Each structure stands twice: as C-alpha cells, then as structure tokens.
C-alpha cells in the first residue's frame, strides 16, 4: 500500500471524527503550540501532522494519568474526555504527514537508523518506525511517525528515555534502545531523523 492510500489514511485516523476533532483542537487551543496544520515551528514542541491517532490517544491518556510528564500537557490532557481525545487525535492524524527538509549527511546516524548496531544489541530505528521514519504498525502497536519531527524535540525525548524520565514505550523498548547511545549519537540521530 502506498503511504497516502485511502486504507493507510483510514488506519492512521482510526475511529475518531477529524472534523469534530478540528473544532475541539481550536477550542482547546491546540494550534497555539502544535499549529493548526500540525506542523509546529517551536523547536521543543512536537509536530503532530499525520501521526497515528492510536499513538496520540495513548500519549494523551499517559499525560492525563501522569505516566508521561509535561507541565502544560498534563493539564490539557486532563481537561479532555476520552471521546474528545479520540476526535482530536483523528484530526491531527488526518493531516498530511510531517516532513523534514532533507536528511543531513550523517553516516553514523544513518547507519544506526537503518541498521542499528548489532555489536551493542541495538535494533534499527526502521524496524519499529518504518522506512524514512514515517511510522509502522506492528500487530496492535502503532509506532509513531518520527521522520520530519523537530530536532530539538527528538533530542529531548531520546535524552528523557535514556535517563528514565520517560518510560511509556511498549515494554520499555525505547529506554533499552537509547541507553547505550552517547550524547553525541543522540544528537546526530535526532538531527538525521528530523530531516527525513
């Protein structure tokens, strides 16, 4: 299936109502940080455009119950009921996927992204996030779109996984993946992924 085929878009959107979700996003001022087109320009604020709705719903639920920490988003997530969260997630999922300008020539980061590092037991990023980091569904797990995400946001999240501040990935896979990476590798990997 092509990336933007009707079936893929339907899978990304899920069961929510994107039209209602847009209205809720405007009412709740989601666009103030994430932009109405889901492509935030604030370096530390994630882009949401084309993200899997199931992933967004999980993140909102984790923020709501405090399993993921962010001072502003914990409050906003708590203000959304479950149905509103599903619709808002469907709205952002319905948008054209985020895209980077172009990956920089970072051979080590590209090798980690595409091949992982078997010597350190690191899987490739593509094994979970798909080619070009545009997300991948594995069984019932919706692995997020990361290609084209903000460099600063990616770097911050990878660092949070490494120090254990963030622990809400399936079976702690992100904590295990990031643990062996150096700060320089994290920065280069984030920069490479942001360009995809």
């Amino acid at each position: 299936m092509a990336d933007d085929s009707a079936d893929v878009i339907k899978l990304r959107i899920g069961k929510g109502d994107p039209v209602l979700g847009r209205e809720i996003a405007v009412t709740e001022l989601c666009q103030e940080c994430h932009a109405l087109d889901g492509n935030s320009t604030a370096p530390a604020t994630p882009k949401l455009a084309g993200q899997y709705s199931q992933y967004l719903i999980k993140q909102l639920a984790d923020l709501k119950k405090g399993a993921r920490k962010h001072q502003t988003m914990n409050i906003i997530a708590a203000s959304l009921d479950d149905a509103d969260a599903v619709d808002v997630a469907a709205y952002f999922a319905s948008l054209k996927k985020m895209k980077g300008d172009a990956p920089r020539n970072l051979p080590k980061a590209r090798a980690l992204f595409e091949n992982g590092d078997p010597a350190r037991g690191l899987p490739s990023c593509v094994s979970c996030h798909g080619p070009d980091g545009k997300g991948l569904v594995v069984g019932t797990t919706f692995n997020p779109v990361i290609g084209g995400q903000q460099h600063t946001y990616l770097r911050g999240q990878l660092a949070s996984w490494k120090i254990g501040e963030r622990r809400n990935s399936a079976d702690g896979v992100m904590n295990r993946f990031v643990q062996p990476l150096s700060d320089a590798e994290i920065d280069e990997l984030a920069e490479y992924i942001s360009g995809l």
Side-chain angles (χ1 to χ4, degrees):
M1 276 186 293
D3 185 48
D4 290 323
S5 72
D7 289 340
V8 170
I9 292 170
K10 185 176 178 181
L11 177 68
R12 261 193 354 236
I13 293 172
K15 297 179 181 181
D17 180 342
V19 175
L20 184 55
R22 184 183 191 281
E23 292 174 16
I24 297 165
V26 169
T27 302
E28 295 295 326
L29 303 177
C30 300
Q31 78 280 2
E32 294 294 316
C33 295
H34 299 287
L36 197 54
D37 70 354
N39 287 293
S40 169
T41 57
T45 302
K47 295 178 183 179
L48 303 179
Q51 189 59 269
Y52 285 109
S53 64
Q54 292 297 319
Y55 177 78
L56 293 174
I57 292 164
K58 180 192 182 309
Q59 298 312 303
L60 286 168
D62 286 352
L63 286 158
K64 188 174 193 171
K65 65 186 178 189
R68 182 172 176 188
K69 306 285 186 203
H70 186 279
Q71 187 174 0
T72 302
M73 283 304 303
N74 291 127
I75 294 166
I76 291 170
S79 74
L80 291 174
D81 66 30
D82 292 346
D84 287 349
V86 168
D87 291 335
V88 168
Y91 167 64
F92 284 111
S94 73
L95 302 172
K96 186 176 179 180
K97 278 187 188 176
M98 63 188 86
K99 186 175 184 204
D101 295 328
R104 288 200 40 222
N105 185 20
L106 297 165
K108 290 179 184 176
R110 181 179 180 175
L112 272 173
F113 182 80
E114 293 178 354
N115 307 312
D117 185 349
R120 291 189 281 177
L122 296 175
S124 68
C125 299
V126 299
S127 65
C128 291
H129 297 284
D132 296 326
K134 298 307 178 194
L136 192 63
V137 179
V138 180
T140 59
T141 302
F142 288 77
N143 294 311
V145 177
I146 57 172
Q149 185 57 269
Q150 302 279 22
H151 170 251
T152 301
Y153 176 77
L154 286 169
R155 184 180 59 218
Q157 294 308 300
L158 289 170
S160 291
W161 294 114
K162 182 171 180 158
I163 63 173
E165 184 176 272
R166 185 169 174 194
R167 298 181 302 273
N168 69 329
S169 66
D171 299 321
V173 67
M174 284 303 300
N175 302 92
R176 288 192 309 276
F177 172 78
V178 177
Q179 197 59 51
L181 298 178
S182 69
D183 291 345
E185 286 174 317
I186 286 173
D187 189 52
E188 279 198 9
L189 192 56
E191 188 166 350
Y192 178 77
I193 294 168
S194 70
L196 297 173

